[in-house]
């Protein structure tokens, strides 16, 4: 079974802090994704990556950046956290375009 | 551009009754379609997928969905629900464009099964 592990289940940070969310997958998947989930809005894609050191913007990249230095690890960075970034963040990975995405359990991030 | 509409934000149903969760999509290209389920405080799990072939797709936990190209729909059904099916369900579409496998999700349907 594919395992996607997010480093924290719950995280509380302060406005203006730089925040790192880490995601690791163990199945040698090419593609990795970061989403945020908000009530009534479903999942919205922040950034994704097709390969090491490669990244592309999703639908809502403002205020975020990403890093993929190794194939198995995809990091989401909030450069200067703001209260409107309080949300559930989900990481996912997939092998190819016709294969389903596998999700981690999510990180519930609160910015105070 | 592609989009997914889940018209029902909440669906209450009694245990052992049948249920249908509706999903309509919009895309200018061929698509792959998925249903995911999310239990409280967990990530999303794949229920079923349509890639090609038979339009009736069977998934885990007794769920099935039918791809209807003319109506651009992919409704999820279960003939008899159980309390444990209470969860949020997301429909997603992957348009087969040069952009790779970007999924577009619907806003979700909360299924609440009551005794």
């Amino acid at each position: 079974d594919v395992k996607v592990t997010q480093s924290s289940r719950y995280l509380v940070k302060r406005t203006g802090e730089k925040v790192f969310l880490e995601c690791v997958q163990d199945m040698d998947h090419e593609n990795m994704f970061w989403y945020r989930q908000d009530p009534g809005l479903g999942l919205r894609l922040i950034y994704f990556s097709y390969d090491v050191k490669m990244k592309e913007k999703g639908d809502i990249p403002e205020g975020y950046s990403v890093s993929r230095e190794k194939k198995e690890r995809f990091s989401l960075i909030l450069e200067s956290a703001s209260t409107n970034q309080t949300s559930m963040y989900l990481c996912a990975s997939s092998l190819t375009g016709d294969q389903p995405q596998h999700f981690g359990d999510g990180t519930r991030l609160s910015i105070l | 551009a592609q989009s997914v509409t889940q018209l029902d934000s909440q669906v209450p149903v009694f245990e052992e009754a049948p249920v249908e969760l509706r999903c309509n999509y919009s895309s200018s290209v061929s698509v792959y379609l998925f249903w995911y389920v999310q239990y409280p405080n967990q990530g999303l799990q794949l229920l079923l997928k349509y890639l090609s072939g038979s339009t009736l797709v069977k998934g885990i936990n007794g769920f099935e969905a039918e791809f209807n190209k003319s109506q651009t729909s992919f409704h999820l059904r279960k003939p008899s629900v159980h309390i444990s099916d209470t969860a949020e369900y997301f429909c997603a579409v992957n348009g087969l464009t040069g952009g790779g496998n970007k999924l577009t999700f619907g806003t979700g349907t909360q299924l609440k099964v009551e005794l």
Side-chain angles (χ1 to χ4, degrees), chain A residues 9 37 50 94 97-98 100-101 104, chain B residues 32 36 38 41 43 94 99 101:
Chain A
R9 291 299 303 275
Q37 181 181 12
Y50 290 140
S94 72
D98 62 347
Q101 292 183 16
Chain B
Y32 295 149
Y36 286 86
Q38 185 180 35
N41 298 316
N94 178 1
N101 63 337

Side-chain angles (χ1 to χ4, degrees), chain A residues 57-71:
Chain A
K57 293 180 180 178
D59 301 316
I60 52 164
E62 296 78 19
Y64 303 94
S65 63
V66 291
S67 172
R68 194 164 180 203
E69 296 296 320
K70 294 185 177 181
K71 191 174 187 178

